[in-house]
Structures are given as structure tokens and as C-alpha cells.
Amino acid sequence: MGAQQSVNAGKAKVDLHVDLTHMLCEALLLPPLSSSATISQIVGRISLKHPSLFGRSEKLDVILDKGVNDSNVVVAFRRPRPEWLSQQSFVIQHSMTPEIVVHGFPADNFTRSGSRGVNLSRLSLGVEINEPTTSKWTSGTSVKFEHIRPVNNDGRSIARDHEGFPLTCSGNLHDNMIILKQESGYADVKDNSFLRVNFQMEQGLPLVPKSLTFNRVKCAVSKGIKLGPTFLVTSLTGGSIVGDMAPYQAFAIGGLGSVRGYGEGAVGSGRLCLIGNCEYTVPLAKNLEGSLFMDCGSDLGSARHVPGNPALRQGKPGFGVGFGYGVHFNTDIGQIRVDYAMNAFSRKTFYFSINTGGAGS
């Protein structure tokens, strides 16, 4: 939800969008009873779209996202192809993000994660190929070069954290890698149930000097079943990485979309991860639903295999359980969610979010 303005400049179209309610999240300090909510992410977006850059229906998309502490720029060029053929895109992207999920420290009994001044500057360029979509299957392949550089809050390149442990796999000020990525999706949606599967595999190719060689796999399965007027959704997500690895590549566990009741990455980070979610939704009134949920996640004891052991040094437990309840209000702008979660340390967290796609977080 926010403000949006579109401007036409010849054949090009410029969209300006400011999202003031992407996510609000703050712990409720109980007891004593007190509460506060701060905006953790305000996103402003400028989008430039050109439908025919060279007069032959070549599409150019330029997107700039700017948050309070992060930024992201994407330039994508697409050549026209028949719908029954794979669609190709040439993409250049640069992002700057705080590295909180791995190198941040847990605070307030793991309900939030604080920054230790480590940020990631990530530059990538490559080709994306999306296969024609069938009734239930989607598939895409990409090959890209990535240059990743840790920086401090002043923008200076750094190779080690405040305790002297390496931030990169190479031990230098940056890592380079060439990644071949394959992603496949399956969705079977019926009136009374749905099944969704998403599979991602990344292979680091040793094609440039000191390039990282690794295999990273992640799979997510979710199942929803209608039980009378109510609805039950369960999901299971697992991941693994073998080979060369930098700390920032670890699977982070904890936070909204993972294990509620914990801060981002406050449960742990490792070479392996396993996350389970279960949510039971009950209609309360027109456009109003109530829910009960339970989340759990584990690094399966793999945190010690991450270079520098950042999770163990921060005292993260490696396993976490969160449960709670929430209300969801469906509106024309999307679904407004208010969730109240408690973690294994009996600390409560309040989540407020707006999903403009109308689905739950």
C-alpha cells in the first residue's frame, strides 16, 4: 500500500511507487505491558518500461528500489520471441543490503536481530531463460556472473568482521562466481485443496580464477486442504550446500516467512536447513479470518561447518519453535495480516504486514 504515479514519455512509461507498509515488525515487551511498532522497511520504487527500444518490440525494464538501509537496481532487456519458445532476458543487477541474517546478533531473547555493520554489495550480470508455461509446470534457467563485496557502514570494503573472522570465501575483499541456476515449479490448485512445489539448484562453475565451486539446493513443498469452512496449510522447506562457501551463502532461519517469534536469522544459519510451517485458518466474518499457526526450524547441526562459525559465535540456538495466532482482513488493496507469535523463550513478537497479492505471508 502506498502512492503510485505513472508518467508517459514518448513510448516509454515511468512508474513511481512508494510502499509505506511493506512490513512492520517489533517485539512486544511483556511484562510490563508496552508496545511499539517501527517501520523496518520503507520501499520507494522507480520503474522505467520501454515496449520497443529499437523498433522491433524489444522490451527494456529499469527498476530502482530504495529502502531505508538497502537498495536494488535491475536492468533487463528482452528480445521478442514466439510464445511457444523459451523467453530470453539479459539482466544486470546491483544491490546493497545489510548482512543481518548471518552476521547480525540476536537481541531481546532472539525476537530481533541487530546489525554489526556488515553490508553486502552484489553485482551480477547474465542471461535468464524461461521455458513456456504449461498448465501446472514452470521452469527457468539462468547463467550469471556475480561479484560480491562486503562493505562497512561507511562504504569501505572489508574482508573480516569485527572479531577478525573472514567475510568471504577467498579471504580477499571480494568473491567472484559464475552460477548456473535451474528453477522448476509445480502448482495444482483445486476448489478444495492445492499443492505447490518449488525446486532450485545453483551450481558454481570454476570458469574464472578463484571462482567459488559449489552446489546449492533448496526445495519447498506446501499443501492446503479445505476442512468445511476452515482451511489447513502445511509447508516444508529444506536446503543444502556443498563445496566452497562464504558465510553469506548460509541458509538463515528465523523471522517472518520462516520461524515467527524470532528475528531475521536469529534461530541460526548453516549449510543445511529444515523448516516446517502449519497454519489453520477459520472465517470470522465477511473478509475477516482468524488463524492459529506453528513454525519450527533447524540448521541440523550444520552451523559449525560455516566458515567462521558466525551463528555459534552469536549464541544462536540452531533450533527454534514459534507459535501464535493472527487475524487477516481481505481488502481491495490486498490482505492485511496481524500476527502475534511467541518463541521458545516465551518472548512475544507482533507482526503487521500487507500482502498486495492477497495471499498470506
Side-chain angles (χ1 to χ4, degrees):
M1 183 176 67
Q4 182 168 340
Q5 179 69 39
S6 296
V7 179
N8 292 317
K11 292 184 178 181
K13 180 181 179 182
V14 180
D15 291 328
L16 305 177
H17 182 74
V18 178
D19 187 348
L20 299 178
T21 53
H22 184 73
M23 183 172 65
L24 296 175
C25 172
E26 182 70 13
L28 289 179
L29 304 180
L30 301 173
L33 180 63
S34 65
S35 65
S36 63
T38 59
I39 297 180
S40 61
Q41 189 173 8
I42 302 178
V43 177
R45 165 170 289 192
I46 299 177
S47 174
L48 170 65
K49 300 179 182 293
H50 200 294
S52 183
L53 186 62
F54 300 116
R56 296 183 179 181
S57 299
E58 304 91 343
K59 299 183 185 301
L60 176 68
D61 292 333
V62 180
I63 298 174
L64 169 63
D65 291 322
K66 185 65 179 76
V68 176
N69 298 311
D70 52 8
S71 63
N72 184 50
V73 181
V74 180
V75 180
F77 175 76
R78 300 172 176 86
R79 290 178 175 174
R81 291 171 63 90
E83 293 183 358
W84 62 85
L85 297 178
S86 59
Q87 303 299 308
Q88 299 178 356
S89 302
F90 301 90
V91 180
I92 301 175
Q93 181 175 5
H94 179 266
S95 64
M96 179 72 75
T97 57
E99 182 47 87
I100 294 178
V101 295
V102 174
H103 293 285
F105 63 92
D108 294 337
N109 280 330
F110 302 91
T111 57
R112 63 182 182 88
S113 296
S115 172
R116 290 198 180 275
V118 178
N119 306 275
L120 284 184
S121 171
R122 187 187 301 260
L123 173 66
S124 67
L125 61 149
V127 179
E128 297 180 356
I129 302 174
N130 294 312
E131 300 297 331
T133 302
T134 65
S135 59
K136 296 181 180 180
W137 288 94
T138 58
S139 178
T141 304
S142 65
V143 180
K144 62 181 178 180
F145 169 81
E146 282 198 358
H147 176 84
I148 300 175
R149 182 170 58 94
V151 299
N152 60 18
N153 290 335
D154 296 325
R156 294 175 49 244
S157 296
I158 52 177
R160 298 183 178 275
D161 62 18
H162 70 289
E163 295 180 339
F165 289 88
L167 296 171
T168 61
C169 179
S170 64
N172 299 323
L173 294 176
H174 64 268
D175 282 332
N176 293 326
M177 60 190 81
I178 297 178
I179 303 174
L180 172 64
K181 180 178 180 180
Q182 173 67 43
E183 182 172 1
S184 299
Y186 174 83
D188 184 10
V189 181
K190 301 177 181 178
D191 292 338
N192 297 320
S193 65
F194 72 82
L195 173 65
R196 293 190 177 96
V197 181
N198 181 267
F199 177 81
Q200 301 176 15
M201 183 178 69
E202 296 180 348
Q203 178 66 52
L205 305 177
L207 300 180
V208 296
K210 297 184 179 180
S211 177
L212 277 64
T213 304
F214 61 91
N215 181 267
R216 193 176 195 267
V217 175
K218 185 176 182 180
C219 183
V221 180
S222 60
K223 175 69 174 180
I225 303 175
K226 189 174 183 180
L227 304 173
T230 66
F231 205 77
L232 176 66
V233 178
T234 59
S235 64
L236 186 66
T237 302
S240 170
I241 181 171
V242 295
D244 297 336
M245 179 186 182
Y248 53 77
Q249 292 179 297
F251 293 99
I253 307 167
L256 189 65
S258 175
V259 181
R260 284 164 285 189
Y262 292 82
E264 298 295 323
V267 173
S269 56
R271 280 185 175 263
L272 304 172
C273 77
L274 187 63
I275 301 171
N277 310 95
C278 183
E279 183 162 304
Y280 184 65
T281 304
V282 180
L284 301 177
K286 184 179 180 180
N287 297 325
L288 182 65
E289 302 170 338
S291 68
L292 300 173
F293 60 83
M294 180 176 179
D295 305 329
C296 62
S298 171
D299 62 17
L300 302 177
S302 64
R304 65 182 183 276
H305 300 300
V306 176
N309 297 334
L312 297 180
R313 287 189 287 115
Q314 303 296 345
K316 298 179 181 180
F319 175 81
V321 177
F323 56 91
Y325 55 88
V327 291
H328 315 151
F329 185 59
N330 298 312
T331 70
D332 293 337
I333 64 172
Q335 186 183 72
I336 300 175
R337 293 178 60 100
V338 180
D339 292 327
Y340 186 72
M342 183 170 68
N343 64 20
F345 301 92
S346 299
R347 297 290 289 185
K348 288 82 174 178
T349 307
F350 167 77
Y351 297 94
F352 174 83
S353 62
I354 295 181
N355 188 328
T356 56
S361 296

